[in-house]
């Protein structure tokens, strides 16, 4: 007997609802190995969760971005700070557990009602986990990590090596070299399985918590967290010229962007070209930045828009502005990292998330990679977004290749204080 697509879709949504309800019920129960009142602090011999010796107020920082927009770069500006506990894309585990890709929820070939239901489920799970992680309840991640951790230890935390705190004592006892000198893969090799209890303790020892995500489309999706009195959430939304995002995605994800790569290499536009990812990115930027720049009361003191091009062009100045908005002083670790990682000849190694580069040249390097026809298509799709964020259009191949003239207009985006 054949099933209609509507019946199949209803089954998928129902399955997601059951999974999420079960997971939420589980993580809502407090998990402690040994509960000690907060005023007693954490000692080196205590395996305690929760345990929060940090002076108040704690600043909870969320970097809101999209793929290939420079989010790894801005993440490292926070990761290097001695007082910040940084996590790289922990929501990856939620996405892979509940559904293969959030794009299927946001842009499936299905009914609007089912799309909205699936999107709400995923965003609800994202918000619940973010709230737990900002409170240093890292054990709540265990529900989403596959295979499940054994005795709170796992080898499967996504991009663990991108977090300095997870590669340093007390989480990692390896002391042969400073973590900042390791390549990302070395962290796992040197430190072994991640002990989430020790990770939770390390989180409690840092004054601030920062998380980077490319899995939440718009700032409006975070309103429940922004208004949560238990959090002191500040959101830094990172945007980038969509033309640069496209060029970076083609190079980074060649299988997913094969048609685009064929077009770039051959000069002939394939009949099966899919531009939905591009229109979705530009729509998200337009809606999210539009909300933030409208300065609604619930975002007062909580929102800052940053263009990647501005950060790449003047990293020291822009980093100071970001930290000023966060209410945190820039430390020597951050300053040293900027000097060492923004004036290189190119990306460090072959890793697609490398951050050692000539940042100013990288920001508009896409102009030498995309054909004019490709750029023209992006401009047609994203014209409103380009205008809103202050990116100039090009009207000829010559104008495109003239990299001596920046396409990022001098436009100031002040934090909403």
């Amino acid at each position: 007997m054949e099933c209609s697509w509507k019946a199949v879709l209803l089954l998928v949504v129902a399955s997601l609802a059951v999974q999420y309800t079960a997971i939420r019920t589980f993580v809502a129960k407090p998990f402690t190995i040994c509960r000690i009142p907060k005023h007693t602090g954490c000692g080196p011999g205590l395996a305690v969760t929760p345990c929060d010796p940090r002076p108040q107020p704690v600043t909870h920082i969320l970097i809101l971005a999209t793929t290939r927009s420079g989010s790894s770069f801005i993440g490292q500006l926070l990761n290097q700070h001695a007082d910040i506990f940084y996590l790289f894309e922990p929501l990856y585990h939620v996405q892979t557990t509940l559904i293969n890709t959030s794009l299927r929820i946001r842009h499936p070939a299905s009914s609007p009602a089912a799309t909205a239901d699936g999107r709400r489920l995923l965003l609800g799970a994202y918000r619940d986990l973010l709230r737990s992680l900002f409170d240093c309840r890292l054990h709540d991640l265990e529900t989403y990590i596959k295979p499940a951790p054994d005795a709170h230890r796992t080898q499967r935390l996504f991009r663990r090596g991108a977090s300095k705190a997870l590669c340093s004592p007390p989480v990692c006892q390896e002391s042969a070299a400073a973590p900042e000198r390791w390549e990302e893969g070395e962290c796992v090799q040197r430190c072994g399985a991640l002990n989430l209890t020790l990770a939770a303790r390390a989180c409690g020892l840092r004054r601030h918590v920062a998380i980077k995500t490319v899995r939440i489309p718009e700032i409006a999706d975070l309103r429940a967290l922004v208004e949560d009195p238990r959090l002191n959430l500040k959101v830094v939304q990172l945007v980038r010229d969509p033309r640069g995002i496209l060029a970076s995605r083609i190079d980074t994800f060649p299988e997913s962007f094969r048609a685009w790569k064929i077009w770039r290499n051959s000069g002939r536009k394939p009949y099966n070209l899919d531009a939905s990812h591009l229109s979705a990115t530009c729509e998200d930027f337009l809606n999210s930045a539009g909300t933030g720049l409208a300065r609604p009361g619930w975002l007062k003191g909580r929102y800052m828009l940053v263009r990647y091009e501005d950060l790449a062009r003047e990293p020291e100045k822009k980093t100071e502005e970001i930290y000023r908005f966060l209410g945190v002083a820039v430390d020597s670790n951050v300053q040293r990292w900027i000097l060492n990682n923004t004036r290189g000849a190119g990306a460090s190694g072959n890793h697609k998330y490398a951050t050692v580069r000539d940042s100013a040249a990288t920001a508009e390097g896409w102009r030498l990679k995309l054909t004019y026809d490709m750029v023209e298509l992006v401009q047609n799709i994203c014209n409103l977004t380009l205008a809103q964020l202050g990116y100039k259009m090009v009207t000829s191949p010559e104008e495109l290749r003239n990299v001596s003239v920046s396409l990022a207009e001098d436009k100031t985006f002040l934090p909403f204080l």
Side-chain angles (χ1 to χ4, degrees):
M1 181 177 68
E2 295 185 359
C3 293
S4 70
W5 65 268
K6 291 183 179 179
V8 172
L9 188 60
L10 287 172
L11 286 173
V12 171
V13 172
S15 175
L16 284 171
V18 170
Q19 288 184 65
Y20 176 52
T21 302
I23 288 170
R24 188 168 184 175
T25 300
F26 177 82
V27 301
K29 297 178 181 179
F31 181 93
T32 58
I33 294 176
C34 178
R35 184 177 296 277
I36 290 181
K38 282 191 176 185
H39 68 269
T40 61
C42 298
L46 299 176
V48 180
T49 303
C51 183
D52 194 348
R54 298 170 296 192
Q56 296 298 320
V58 176
T59 302
H60 303 109
I61 306 160
L62 187 68
I63 302 170
L64 183 64
T66 190
T67 53
R68 310 312 299 167
S69 62
S71 58
S72 295
F73 180 76
I74 194 173
Q76 287 303 314
L77 295 176
L78 300 175
N79 183 37
Q80 302 304 316
H81 198 286
D83 251 353
I84 294 178
F85 182 86
Y86 174 70
L87 289 174
F88 181 103
E89 295 294 348
L91 300 186
Y92 164 85
H93 295 286
V94 180
Q95 185 186 82
T96 54
T97 297
L98 294 183
I99 198 165
N100 288 336
T101 169
S102 63
L103 289 178
R104 290 186 188 172
I105 281 181
R106 293 177 54 232
H107 303 286
S110 59
S111 70
T115 303
D117 287 344
R119 186 177 185 274
R120 280 195 294 270
L121 283 169
L122 193 59
L123 288 172
Y126 286 162
R127 287 189 292 263
D128 285 349
L129 183 60
L130 285 173
R131 188 179 283 108
S132 293
L133 297 179
F134 280 131
D135 198 34
C136 292
R137 288 183 280 127
L138 270 65
H139 290 98
D140 288 359
L141 264 170
E142 296 190 24
T143 308
Y144 298 104
I145 297 175
K146 307 300 178 189
D150 181 18
H152 314 302
R153 297 171 65 88
T154 180
Q155 295 273 17
R156 296 300 183 91
L157 185 72
F158 181 60
R159 299 287 306 279
R160 171 199 178 172
S163 170
K164 191 174 178 181
L166 297 183
C167 301
S168 308
V171 183
C172 175
Q173 300 303 322
E174 172 63 53
S175 59
E180 60 265 23
R181 297 186 180 181
W182 295 352
E183 290 292 332
E184 188 172 315
E186 286 187 81
C187 174
V188 176
Q189 295 172 8
R190 291 174 181 268
C191 300
L194 173 65
N195 185 320
L196 288 167
T197 299
L198 293 180
R201 183 193 304 170
C203 178
L205 292 172
R206 305 269 180 134
R207 183 168 181 178
H208 313 291
V209 181
I211 296 173
K212 179 189 85 94
T213 182
V214 297
R215 290 170 169 81
I216 295 179
E218 302 174 22
I219 184 66
D221 297 319
L222 293 169
R223 182 167 181 171
L225 293 183
V226 172
E227 295 184 323
D228 190 332
R230 295 168 294 179
L231 298 177
N232 178 29
L233 183 61
K234 299 202 174 187
V235 181
V236 178
Q237 181 176 4
L238 180 69
V239 297
R240 184 183 183 183
D241 190 321
R243 297 164 293 190
I245 290 175
L246 172 62
S248 184
R249 286 175 178 175
I250 292 172
D251 289 336
T252 308
F253 311 115
E255 289 302 312
S256 299
F257 288 82
R258 181 174 295 180
W260 289 89
K261 195 166 188 178
I262 290 172
W263 186 9
R264 186 180 66 180
N265 294 342
S266 68
R268 294 189 299 273
K269 181 180 177 181
Y271 72 92
N272 62 337
L273 190 75
D274 179 11
S276 62
H277 68 95
L278 197 58
S279 58
T281 295
C282 289
E283 182 182 347
D284 289 343
F285 277 177
L286 190 67
N287 293 337
S288 191
T291 298
L293 297 177
R295 302 196 163 197
W298 61 274
L299 273 182
K300 185 175 176 60
R302 305 292 179 186
Y303 179 80
M304 180 180 186
L305 181 70
V306 176
R307 291 191 308 187
Y308 171 63
E309 292 79 9
D310 297 331
L311 180 61
R313 193 160 43 201
E314 298 182 289
E316 294 93 343
K317 177 184 176 183
K318 208 65 191 178
T319 299
E320 286 282 356
E321 291 178 10
I322 293 169
Y323 270 91
R324 194 177 307 121
F325 161 69
L326 298 175
V328 181
V330 177
D331 72 3
S332 59
N333 295 327
V334 176
Q335 294 170 334
R336 183 167 56 251
W337 189 90
I338 292 173
L339 290 174
N340 293 337
N341 292 272
T342 60
R343 292 174 174 80
S348 169
N350 295 317
H351 197 280
K352 62 185 178 182
Y353 297 108
T355 53
V356 179
R357 64 192 73 190
D358 180 342
S359 59
T362 300
E364 295 197 54
W366 60 267
R367 297 170 66 178
L368 303 177
K369 296 180 179 181
L370 298 182
T371 67
Y372 178 70
D373 288 344
M374 298 172 77
V375 169
E376 199 170 34
L377 175 64
V378 180
Q379 292 180 167
N380 289 335
I381 294 173
C382 301
N383 61 322
L384 295 177
T385 303
L386 291 167
Q388 179 195 53
L389 299 177
Y391 295 117
K392 301 174 187 175
M393 302 276 203
V394 294
T395 57
S396 68
E398 293 74 26
E399 192 177 1
L400 172 64
R401 302 296 185 218
N402 184 12
V403 294
S404 63
V405 179
S406 175
L407 296 181
E409 299 173 356
D410 289 332
K411 191 166 184 176
T412 302
F413 297 96
L414 297 174
F416 179 25
L417 301 176

